[in-house]
Amino acid sequence: MSRTERLLDLIQLLRRHRAPVAGPALADELGISIRTLYRDIATLQAQGADIQGEPGVGYVLRPGFTLPPLMFSADEIEALVLGSRWVARRAEDPRLGDAAANALSKITAVLPDELRDSVDGSNLLVGGGEVIPAQVDLSAIRLAIREQRKLVIAYRNAGGTATERTIWPFAIGFFDRVRVVIGWCELRTDYRHFRLDRIDRMEMLAERYPRRRAAMLKEWREREGIPVR
């Protein structure tokens, strides 16, 4: 285990306890010596962690400490690299791809050398594949979701029949070949899924829809039997 991972484990262990925890108990659970524990606590305090206590009394982490990027574990770094690479290559949204690359660059810039090397040398690759191109701007749909705005769309179903719908978008699904916007359809008075490659045109209205998107997402998940993680 690297020192960075050990510090992360110590922070997570302290987070689980509201009352002070004795140093020997912390050292035993982490599998380190008490001297190493004292050094690690001093390191975290120097980085801004509000750890209060002293040898013989116990230690407690006060609320409000946000882990700096260097506290990511190797597995978490690989997850971030893989996710950003997938978004850049497969999301079919240039602005989202650029944002993913920029975010990863900001994180990488403040990582210690041992973790920065794992970013540069990550062997988790995103494969290619055909994505059916959308006819509308995916970033505009994301904006409508963030601002809880209604969308008017001209939509063709699988049989080619065209209809005009006013929807309340609250989520986007990214599948292997298609992208799907999920929303409440005023025409059907129910939740519906709309493939982006079948939306011929789209207009975002100034009008906000009357329900909270988080509430609709929760209701839709329950109806579809999709667990919340």
Side-chain angles (χ1 to χ4, degrees):
M1 178 188 296
S2 69
R3 183 166 183 268
T4 299
E5 291 175 317
R6 191 176 72 241
L7 292 174
L8 174 62
D9 287 346
L10 175 55
I11 281 290
Q12 302 293 18
L13 181 57
L14 287 169
R15 283 184 184 276
R16 295 202 299 265
H17 297 276
R18 294 186 177 181
V21 186
L26 291 170
D28 182 65
E29 187 160 351
L30 293 169
I32 59 177
S33 69
I34 190 68
R35 180 176 297 179
T36 298
L37 175 75
Y38 292 154
R39 286 201 302 265
D40 288 349
I41 287 177
T43 297
L44 290 172
Q45 288 172 330
Q47 292 176 356
D50 188 6
I51 300 175
Q52 299 184 0
E54 58 186 35
V57 176
Y59 297 92
V60 63
L61 175 66
R62 297 301 180 190
F65 177 60
T66 301
L67 292 176
L70 64 86
M71 298 303 298
F72 286 124
S73 69
D75 285 342
E76 290 167 340
I77 289 296
E78 288 196 338
L80 289 170
V81 172
L82 180 60
S84 66
R85 286 176 176 172
W86 190 96
V87 170
R89 182 162 183 172
R90 303 281 294 165
E92 294 295 303
D93 185 334
R95 292 183 62 181
L96 202 59
D98 290 344
N102 291 340
L104 188 60
S105 294
K106 290 177 181 178
I107 293 172
T108 304
V110 295
L111 289 174
D113 291 340
E114 62 190 87
L115 290 182
R116 187 180 301 114
D117 291 343
S118 71
V119 172
D120 296 334
S122 175
N123 57 358
L124 302 179
L125 307 177
V126 176
E130 180 187 1
V131 177
I132 301 176
Q135 305 299 313
V136 293
D137 184 0
L138 181 54
S139 65
I141 298 177
R142 291 192 291 109
L143 177 62
I145 291 173
R146 283 200 303 269
E147 296 188 354
Q148 299 186 173
R149 305 271 183 152
K150 293 184 179 183
L151 288 176
V152 176
I153 62 174
Y155 189 73
R156 292 174 288 104
N157 64 18
T161 302
T163 56
E164 184 171 277
R165 314 284 188 98
T166 299
I167 65 173
W168 308 352
F170 59 82
I172 300 173
F174 291 82
F175 298 91
D176 285 341
R177 300 190 65 217
V178 299
R179 309 294 175 252
V180 175
V181 58
I182 306 162
W184 178 267
C185 176
E186 292 187 355
L187 179 65
R188 304 302 186 198
T189 62
D190 201 357
Y191 293 115
R192 288 291 187 270
H193 308 156
F194 302 95
R195 284 176 43 164
L196 267 61
D197 58 297
R198 294 179 181 167
I199 299 177
D200 292 326
R201 65 180 185 278
M202 177 184 72
E203 178 187 359
M204 183 171 66
L205 302 180
E207 181 182 2
R208 295 168 62 96
Y209 48 77
R211 295 192 61 192
R212 292 178 54 249
R213 64 173 183 269
M216 291 194 294
L217 178 60
K218 181 177 183 294
E219 185 177 78
W220 173 79
R221 282 181 178 274
E222 292 173 348
R223 180 181 298 191
E224 298 291 325
I226 300 175
V228 178
R229 291 191 59 185

